[in-house]
């Protein structure tokens, strides 16, 4: 006895399309949140990550959500992400998106001077252990002049009168 089994769908021409990554945003200094587009007809998404664009991608998330918080990241390292959905057994990958998690730069909020030096003050950054102060006389070549912890200002007393400095 021979059997023939045929499978079919009544939704002619409705194939699954790949998802797309909408955003990659830092949550902290050690986490990124990746968000992607919903795809009609898809009940599960795979988020894959690699450390180079053409590297080996590993699955970091499988589920029906549209966001994932990646807590396994390091500062100053580029990560490449793509979303995979399946059209039957056929995997469909989104375009690759990359992100490098960088330590934010402090913003100088004020600069004052008096006859003893120049005082710079900056806005506090959460989750940092300290600040390095750099100075330049030409605006291009900077040298580290101090490291500060637990304070958000520095007085440079080694400046010369009537000379321009950059911080």
């Amino acid at each position: 006895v021979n059997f023939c089994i045929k499978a079919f769908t009544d939704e002619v021409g409705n194939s699954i399309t790949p998802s797309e990554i909408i955003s990659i945003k830092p949550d902290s200094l050690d986490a990124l949140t990746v968000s992607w587009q919903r795809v009609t007809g898809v009940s599960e998404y795979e988020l894959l990550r690699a450390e180079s664009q053409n590297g080996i991608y590993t699955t970091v998330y499988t589920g029906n959500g549209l966001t994932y918080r990646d807590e396994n990241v390091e500062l100053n390292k580029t990560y490449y992400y793509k979303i995979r959905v399946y059209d039957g057994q056929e995997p469909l990958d989104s375009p690759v998106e990359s992100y490098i998690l960088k330590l934010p730069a402090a913003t100088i909020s004020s600069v004052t001077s008096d006859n003893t030096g120049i005082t710079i003050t900056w806005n506090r950054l959460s989750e940092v252990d300290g600040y390095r102060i750099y100075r330049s006389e030409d605006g291009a070549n900077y040298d580290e002049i101090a490291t500060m912890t637990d304070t958000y200002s520095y007085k440079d007393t080694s400046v010369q009168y009537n000379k321009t400095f950059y911080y």
Side-chain angles (χ1 to χ4, degrees), residues 66-80:
L66 298 174
T67 62
Y68 175 73
R69 187 170 193 264
D70 191 351
E71 298 176 349
N72 191 22
V73 295
E74 298 173 18
L75 284 172
N76 299 317
K77 196 170 188 180
T78 304
Y79 294 95
Y80 297 83

Side-chain angles (χ1 to χ4, degrees), residues 44-59:
E44 191 171 86
Y45 302 87
E46 289 180 13
L47 177 64
L48 298 101
R49 184 185 77 187
E51 293 183 5
S52 65
Q53 186 164 3
N54 298 317
I56 298 170
Y57 283 81
T58 57
T59 301

